[in-house]
Amino acid sequence: MSSIVTAALLRKISKGTPNAANMNSVIVALDGYGAAVGLDLPHRAAQYLPQLLHESGAFKYDREIASGAAYEGRKDLGNTKKGDGVRFKGRTGIQLTGRANYRAFTAWVRKLIPNAPDFEANPDLVNTDPYEGLAPIWYWDVGNPTRKSLNVYADQNNIEMITRKVNGGLNGYDDRLNYYDRSALAMLGYAVNAYRAFQTDARKKGWYDGEVDNDPGPKTRAALHRGLVALTKPAEQPKKIAAAPVVETKEVEVEKKVAVEVPVPVKTNDLDKPWYKDLLGQKEVVTTVAIPGISALGGVPWQNVAIIAGLCVLAAAAYYVIRKRDAAKQEAKVQAVHADAAEAKAAM
């Protein structure tokens, strides 16, 4: 591991001047114990370092600036005794916090170093070497919410999920992405912002099929991942390793204009509603008929058009029958009047 993560490399990646002692703690721990948890592979170290760089302010901090009083009484952190909040405040570059975590770290580290201190009894000792650098490795290995190694996400180049497991969300995500770029480029022998040079070389090696535009993005990070994996001998590479990341955005290319049917979300109560209940076609439907000359209605379902037309025919027929019946009655009245007149004339 020492041939990859060195003081020179970390100074190159860091933004600003890192604290030499804190930086050395990271190197000591990775040199001595990184391989035990799989962090001796370049593509995994390139995912591990950005999280640590961001959380520690580029190795500037190895303990929480606040007093820790805010953690007092936090049973979820195991702080059950008076003074536990301050006593077990965040320490090391990734902020080991709470009595329960100090206890868990002690149990884990003693599997590697049997005579390691009891950090629950002496929490300040966690900031001594090699333990200051081992606490972040513990979190990466089993101390995170999954209780499993984050190597699985590193093998997938899934920076987003690693960030969520370390941070609990995506706070500082852009900075972590940038630190990944810097770490990967530096490990591959490039300047930390030499995207164009890397993209040009990566195209020649078949790692990259995007534009040479000197900008980072999903395709560039996928190529960086491929390049880092290639630093490990094929026989020593993990079996389940992805060639591309879970990308931040989806790119869709459309060469021809085509008609596409797009599913329309339907409310649950609409599913039980017969189509004829919506006579004017105001709900979203799929099959519609344009009615020439009646632009105000727009597209109306064909079923509704049929019903409206049928009702119009029935109305017209009824009107015809009624008018014909009224005409017949009127004719009968006229005939009756004529008959009465003829009868009266005959009687004279």
Side-chain angles (χ1 to χ4, degrees):
M1 195 69 192
S2 58
S3 61
I4 299 174
V5 180
T6 63
L9 177 75
L10 294 182
R11 281 194 292 268
K12 182 178 180 180
I13 297 170
S14 299
K15 302 172 186 177
T17 303
N19 179 290
N22 295 342
M23 183 177 66
N24 186 64
S25 296
V26 174
I27 296 171
V28 168
L30 287 173
D31 276 350
Y33 307 97
V37 296
L39 281 174
D40 55 333
L41 302 184
H43 73 276
R44 290 175 175 173
Q47 295 282 357
Y48 172 75
L49 291 176
Q51 300 297 330
L52 189 52
L53 280 157
H54 176 80
E55 293 291 327
S56 66
F59 309 123
K60 183 178 180 180
Y61 304 104
D62 64 358
R63 70 193 65 216
E64 194 169 1
I65 297 175
S67 68
Y71 302 122
E72 188 70 13
R74 284 278 301 274
K75 293 183 179 180
D76 58 316
L77 294 174
N79 291 342
T80 57
K81 298 180 180 180
K82 185 177 180 180
D84 277 358
V86 174
R87 183 175 176 78
F88 297 102
K89 64 184 291 184
R91 293 181 178 84
T92 79
I94 209 163
Q95 300 294 299
L96 182 67
T97 308
R99 178 185 287 274
N101 285 322
Y102 279 77
R103 183 188 306 128
F105 174 62
T106 299
W108 177 87
V109 81
R110 282 181 171 176
K111 294 177 182 178
L112 299 174
I113 308 172
N115 62 345
D118 181 347
F119 299 106
E120 184 178 1
N122 298 284
D124 282 325
L125 293 180
V126 79
N127 271 348
T128 61
D129 289 336
Y131 310 110
E132 183 173 335
L134 276 171
I137 292 177
W138 162 79
Y139 189 88
W140 181 274
D141 188 45
V142 296
N144 62 81
T146 70
R147 297 296 183 254
K148 296 179 181 178
S149 174
L150 298 181
N151 285 337
V152 63
Y153 298 119
D155 291 348
Q156 297 169 357
N157 197 22
N158 195 337
I159 307 170
E160 179 179 327
M161 284 305 297
I162 293 174
T163 299
R164 290 183 183 279
K165 300 309 177 186
V166 171
N167 174 257
L170 291 176
N171 293 323
Y173 187 50
D174 287 343
D175 188 53
R176 297 170 205 261
L177 282 175
N178 182 248
Y179 265 128
Y180 172 76
D181 296 346
R182 296 168 70 90
S183 299
L185 286 166
M187 286 184 179
L188 290 168
Y190 294 88
V192 294
N193 59 354
Y195 294 107
R196 187 183 300 278
F198 170 73
Q199 289 167 344
T200 300
D201 293 342
R203 283 174 70 94
K204 297 175 182 177
K205 295 178 181 179
W207 298 340
Y208 181 68
D209 62 357
E211 297 294 328
V212 178
D213 54 11
N214 202 41
D215 286 325
K219 286 189 175 182
T220 299
R221 293 188 178 106
L224 287 168
H225 181 62
R226 293 186 182 99
L228 291 167
V229 170
L231 296 178
T232 302
K233 296 178 181 179
E236 298 175 2
Q237 294 176 8
K239 293 181 179 180
K240 295 182 179 180
I241 190 165
V246 177
V247 298
E248 299 93 300
T249 58
K250 292 183 179 179
E251 298 178 3
V252 179
E253 296 181 1
V254 180
E255 296 181 357
K256 297 180 180 179
K257 292 183 179 180
V258 294
V260 180
E261 289 188 5
V262 181
V264 178
V266 181
K267 294 181 180 179
T268 304
N269 56 1
D270 288 342
L271 295 176
D272 298 326
K273 186 176 182 180
W275 57 268
Y276 56 82
K277 289 291 184 68
D278 193 12
L279 195 58
L280 294 180
Q282 295 175 344
K283 296 289 184 182
E284 293 187 45
V285 291
V286 176
T287 307
T288 61
V289 176
I291 303 180
I294 311 181
S295 59
L297 289 179
V300 179
W302 68 266
Q303 300 99 327
N304 295 4
V305 173
I307 283 186
I308 293 171
L311 291 175
C312 289
V313 170
L314 289 174
Y319 179 75
Y320 174 76
V321 170
I322 292 171
R323 288 295 302 271
K324 190 171 183 179
R325 183 190 62 187
D326 290 345
K329 288 182 178 180
Q330 187 65 28
E331 180 65 22
K333 289 180 179 180
V334 171
Q335 291 297 332
V337 169
H338 288 173
D340 290 343
E343 185 177 348
K345 187 176 181 180
M348 295 175 63

